Amino acid sequence: MTTEPDALPTLARAHLPADLADRWTGLLRPAAHLRRAGAAGDPVVGRLGGLPRLPEGMDWPEWEGHGPLAFVAEVDCAALPRAELDIPLPADGRLAFFYYGDDEDYDAVVDTADPDTWAGARVLHLPPAPADAPERPAPAGLTPYPEVELTAHTSPSAPDFDLPALTAAFGEDAFPDAFTRAIWGHQSGVAHQIGGHAQSVQGAVEIVVAHGALGGRDVSWEDPRLEEEAGRWVLLAQFDSDEDADMMWGDGGALYWLIRPDDLAAGRFEKALFTWQCC
């Protein structure tokens, strides 16, 4: 696993006054960016798709009334650059991510604002598994995604321009269009990630999750509590649409799991909230 130099501070200095660039750079957070492991000995830290190695006696996750969840990804906590991140990931075990993505089941959309749909996405903390542990066959009718091994590199991640913490620190319209375009260009491409700032598709996902946590459909998007609540959530993982794994979330979208740091530190992964966005 490598730590790669990042262009974000350079872009800030190129487009912003020095004091504004320094303040913006101070909000960057380290992220483990996941990409396809190459043939040159990249250390494998996880994978997209394939079949999970579930402990004996554990049922395959499903959404009652709809069906089994698809296995999206798995990461090995011990192999991740935990010391370089700012979230309290477990020291060992595996994080496995499942999502109900049946495009033909039009009544089954996982909606962060509707707790009745939250069973359609799941993150599990599983014990370590030996390399020769058997894979769990997929339930009938569920076709696994092609398996893609992942490696990781750590580098800073930028806050979304709609993130409440950013607008609170800088106000509205603080950044020139050339700078926002440069950041969006830097972030283009497939973006799988553990920790750091989420790379949102349609505005800050922290706001969407805060809205769901406060009551969802019963809460106004103008509720003054949203800004404070959004600050209580951190990105656990995001998985982008990826042609190599035959994954397409809506129209070029991404899946996001967020969690409060105290729940993460305590291993309360059932407290994680899911959201997704697409173009």
Side-chain angles (χ1 to χ4, degrees):
M1 151 184 335
T2 60
T3 301
E4 296 185 350
D6 195 271
L8 291 173
T10 301
L11 289 175
R13 290 191 295 270
H15 291 278
L16 302 175
D19 60 336
L20 186 60
D22 288 344
R23 290 170 58 206
W24 181 85
T25 301
L27 292 180
L28 300 180
R29 294 180 53 221
H33 300 278
L34 307 176
R35 63 186 182 193
R36 183 170 194 149
D42 288 335
V44 174
V45 304
R47 58 199 172 100
L48 300 172
L51 291 168
R53 295 175 175 87
L54 298 177
E56 185 176 353
M58 175 179 283
D59 292 334
W60 187 292
E62 68 173 50
W63 185 357
E64 186 176 356
H66 295 283
L69 309 187
F71 175 57
V72 174
E74 177 183 279
V75 292
D76 179 354
C77 296
L80 290 171
R82 293 179 299 105
E84 300 169 32
L85 302 179
D86 61 0
I87 59 173
L89 289 171
D92 55 19
R94 300 165 290 141
L95 295 180
F97 299 85
F98 294 81
Y99 171 63
Y100 187 82
D102 189 340
D103 292 335
E104 297 184 2
D105 190 350
Y106 301 110
D107 295 327
V109 176
V110 184
D111 183 352
T112 315
D114 183 0
D116 290 340
T117 71
W118 291 357
R122 203 85 50 88
V123 54
L124 303 176
H125 184 209
L126 305 176
D132 59 353
E135 295 177 333
R136 180 71 61 86
L142 185 65
T143 302
Y145 293 107
E147 182 171 330
V148 176
E149 291 186 331
L150 298 171
T151 191
H153 73 276
T154 56
S155 63
S157 60
D160 190 277
F161 286 104
D162 291 332
L163 190 70
L166 190 72
T167 55
F170 296 94
E172 300 286 347
D173 302 321
F175 302 101
D177 290 343
F179 177 60
T180 59
R181 288 196 301 269
I183 297 302
W184 292 335
H186 173 76
Q187 294 179 336
S188 63
V190 176
H192 310 303
Q193 186 176 311
I194 302 294
H197 290 293
Q199 295 189 36
S200 304
V201 179
Q202 292 282 356
V205 295
E206 292 85 354
I207 286 288
V208 179
V209 165
H211 182 257
L214 290 173
R217 294 177 178 175
D218 295 329
V219 176
S220 166
W221 287 102
E222 304 301 322
D223 193 308
R225 298 174 297 165
L226 278 176
E227 181 175 322
E228 182 177 359
E229 183 63 27
R232 297 191 176 110
W233 293 83
V234 294
L235 178 71
L236 176 59
Q238 74 173 58
F239 297 102
D240 209 340
S241 295
D242 192 314
E243 290 184 358
D244 290 342
D246 197 23
M247 293 178 177
M248 179 60 68
W249 314 122
D251 183 8
L255 311 180
Y256 306 86
W257 278 265
L258 282 78
I259 193 168
R260 293 185 177 105
D262 56 342
D263 287 327
L264 178 55
R268 295 188 288 262
F269 289 96
E270 73 280 3
K271 299 289 189 180
L273 282 184
F274 168 88
T275 193
W276 69 282
Q277 295 182 343
C278 66
C279 297

